[in-house]
Amino acid sequence: MLKGKHIVIGVTGGIAAHRALDLASNLVKAGVEVHVIMTAGAREFIRPLAFEAISGNRVHVDTFKAPPGWRYPHLELARRADLAVIVPATANILAKLACGMADDLLTTTVLAMVCPVLVCPAMNAYMYRNQAVQENLSCLRRRGFIIVEPSVGRQACGDEGPGRLADVAVIMERIGQVLDPPKGDLAGITALVTAGGTREPIDPVRYISNRSSGKMGYALARAAANRGAGVYLVSGPTNLEPPEGVKLVHVETAAEMFRAVMELYPRVDVVVKAAAVADYRPRVTATQKIKKEDDGLVLELEKNVDILLELGKNKRHQLLVGFAAETEDLINNARRKLVKKNLDMLVANDVMQPGAGFGTDTNIAKLIFPDGRIKSLPLMDKLELSDRIWDEVLQLRANAGQKDTAD
Ligand code: PMT
């Protein structure tokens, strides 16, 4: 499956650099044409000759020295590559990639690449846990880099913790998955999922929000991506890591979520709105922290735009799935929302039931359809519920296709 592919291995300066030799060797054995770029730091740990002996190709180290027949090394390497893998990726290369720097051959080549880039961090555990490193990794994930998480254990320096380069077998497996992705039943569908609660600022330090953790929306995004869909995830603030392969758009307020969703709406086939959008926001946001007075404080609220209602009004080819978080009269309230917002399906959860709704890993839902059907689902993991919801979406799309043909 890897035979005939071109893979660029970027080696940076860490003690795990020698493990990149094993990776190069495994790839060559699998029939891959391997080109290696070494940074100056990497060459402190290993000599280029070792990679040349394994790959059968000259190691690339200089932005300004092109091999015979090549005009610009970085563009040639980027154009030929089916995939690039940075092994090991030091804290320094993560920072440079996150900033979009191009100050050596490796960074310049990666900037010019349109192929998938796998990044395999390896460093001291304290460095790995550092907020700057974690923020750089989050930034790279958001931009579509695939991070092969390091393993946890005793390190060469004697410290314990996360930061050991992932096993070469794991890196090989990820390369295989990326170059030959599973073809799921949602392949070809572009989905927009919203998640989390919005925050409506009162003053610079306070806001109105709700108890949504984002778990339901992130599970929906993960399940869709696992099944081959292209996924945009528009998310309010959460503590969750974005699922791999998902394009994440961060928002804070309902107004920001509205803008992000409306911009993406024409490009997507399905919208699933699991977010708990604040219905109201303070009419005025104070520019300074509001001082404590002896009396109470009256906050005047005004209505936020109902995003799902607007989507329903402007529906073209899209399928619209809403959620309803109810504390009483679940079915009747949910049915009213389904009709008012012009939805194709509504997932109603009674958030008073143990194991359902906000913050939990599980949910209990009723799927409600415009033709009056109701499917009651038992308590299940949010990821399993997500799969059930995507199964229904597929069925609704199939029905819509049959109707179009009949028309
Ligand atoms: O995030 P978790 O902790 O996992 O919790 C999951 C959940 C309980 C938040 C989720 O399962 C859920 O029920 N989400 C919808 C919550 C909600 O806001 O329900 P609602 O009945 O107020 O709104 C109905 C629908 O309209 C929702 O799809 C909502 O996204 C949408 N809406 C609401 C208000 C608004 N201004 N704009 C909207 O688009």
Side-chain angles (χ1 to χ4, degrees):
M1 179 256 297
L2 295 178
K3 200 168 163 33
K5 298 285 185 199
H6 285 65
I7 294 185
V8 169
I9 303 182
V11 188
T12 67
I15 188 70
H18 67 277
R19 308 254 309 272
L21 287 170
D22 294 340
L23 180 68
S25 167
N26 280 336
L27 289 172
V28 169
K29 280 186 202 143
V32 173
E33 172 79 14
V34 171
H35 279 276
V36 177
I37 303 175
M38 293 181 81
T39 63
R43 299 198 302 279
E44 295 287 327
F45 287 89
I46 309 182
R47 296 187 50 187
L49 191 60
F51 283 106
E52 290 183 358
I54 287 173
S55 70
N57 287 315
R58 253 181 66 180
V59 166
H60 307 269
V61 296
D62 194 331
T63 319
F64 302 103
K65 255 194 212 138
W70 290 23
R71 280 184 73 190
Y72 308 109
H74 62 296
L75 299 183
E76 281 289 344
L77 285 162
R79 189 178 58 77
R80 288 161 186 243
D82 295 300
L83 179 142
V85 52
I86 303 180
V87 188
T90 56
N92 185 47
I93 190 78
L94 299 180
K96 289 208 270 183
L97 293 177
C99 289
M101 283 176 69
D103 67 343
D104 63 8
L105 182 59
L106 180 57
T107 48
T108 313
T109 305
V110 171
L111 269 190
M113 280 175 156
V114 289
C115 65
V117 180
L118 272 69
V119 174
C120 311
M123 66 196 75
N124 170 269
Y126 289 97
M127 292 170 72
Y128 184 71
R129 289 194 193 106
N130 187 291
Q131 198 180 343
V133 171
Q134 288 304 315
E135 284 177 13
N136 287 333
L137 281 168
S138 299
C139 164
L140 294 178
R141 267 188 210 102
R142 276 200 306 281
R143 294 203 195 131
F145 286 81
I146 299 155
I147 312 296
V148 184
E149 301 294 338
S151 58
V152 180
R154 191 170 166 76
Q155 303 194 297
C157 57
D159 285 336
E160 292 264 352
R164 286 159 52 102
L165 183 73
D167 280 348
V168 169
V170 171
I171 301 172
M172 283 294 288
E173 190 185 323
R174 295 299 291 279
I175 291 173
Q177 285 166 353
V178 173
L179 287 178
D180 187 19
K183 317 254 180 308
D185 54 359
L186 296 176
I189 294 177
T190 307
L192 165 56
V193 177
T194 68
T198 62
R199 286 181 181 172
E200 311 299 325
I202 297 169
D203 66 15
V205 299
R206 304 180 179 98
Y207 54 79
I208 298 174
S209 191
N210 57 62
R211 295 179 189 278
S212 172
S213 62
K215 286 181 181 174
M216 189 67 241
Y218 278 56
L220 281 157
R222 183 181 309 267
N226 285 346
R227 290 167 67 166
V231 183
Y232 292 103
L233 175 59
V234 176
S235 172
T238 74
N239 292 322
L240 306 174
E241 276 296 321
E244 203 160 276
V246 159
K247 295 185 191 82
L248 180 66
V249 181
H250 278 295
V251 295
E252 188 148 333
T253 62
E256 285 171 12
M257 183 173 279
F258 177 62
R259 278 195 293 278
V261 166
M262 291 319 261
E263 195 186 317
L264 293 168
Y265 196 34
R267 289 186 240 165
V268 304
D269 305 301
V270 187
V271 180
V272 183
K273 278 214 88 262
V277 185
D279 289 319
Y280 294 92
R281 62 168 178 259
R283 186 177 292 280
V284 177
T285 300
T287 53
Q288 302 296 331
K289 184 179 169 194
I290 298 171
K291 292 277 173 283
K292 197 165 32 181
E293 305 285 348
D294 288 343
D295 295 339
L297 174 71
V298 176
L299 270 183
E300 198 183 342
L301 303 180
E302 64 184 3
K303 252 193 138 172
N304 270 325
V305 62
D306 189 323
I307 305 169
L308 196 48
L309 186 73
E310 291 305 312
L311 295 178
K313 281 186 204 159
N314 294 292
K315 188 154 83 169
R316 302 266 181 278
H317 60 281
Q318 298 91 344
L319 269 175
L320 274 189
V321 179
F323 268 71
E326 302 295 343
T327 54
E328 57 181 344
D329 203 4
L330 180 70
I331 303 287
N332 286 330
N333 284 330
R335 273 208 177 113
R336 269 193 291 277
K337 287 178 185 172
L338 177 87
V339 173
K340 184 174 170 203
K341 302 190 187 196
N342 189 19
L343 307 180
D344 299 286
M345 178 166 83
L346 190 130
V347 183
N349 36 200
D350 176 349
V351 295
M352 302 299 269
Q353 281 186 272
F358 294 94
T360 50
D361 292 329
T362 54
N363 208 348
I364 306 167
K366 292 191 189 309
L367 309 183
I368 304 181
F369 299 89
D371 59 9
R373 278 178 306 133
I374 297 179
K375 287 193 183 173
S376 296
L377 301 177
L379 177 89
M380 61 179 73
D381 192 89
K382 281 181 176 166
L383 193 59
E384 193 184 342
L385 173 60
S386 301
D387 271 322
R388 297 288 194 96
I389 291 169
W390 291 119
D391 289 345
E392 295 296 338
V393 165
L394 276 177
Q395 191 55 56
L396 289 169
R397 277 173 62 86
N399 296 348
Q402 278 167 9
K403 189 167 166 292
D404 284 352
T405 321
D407 291 347

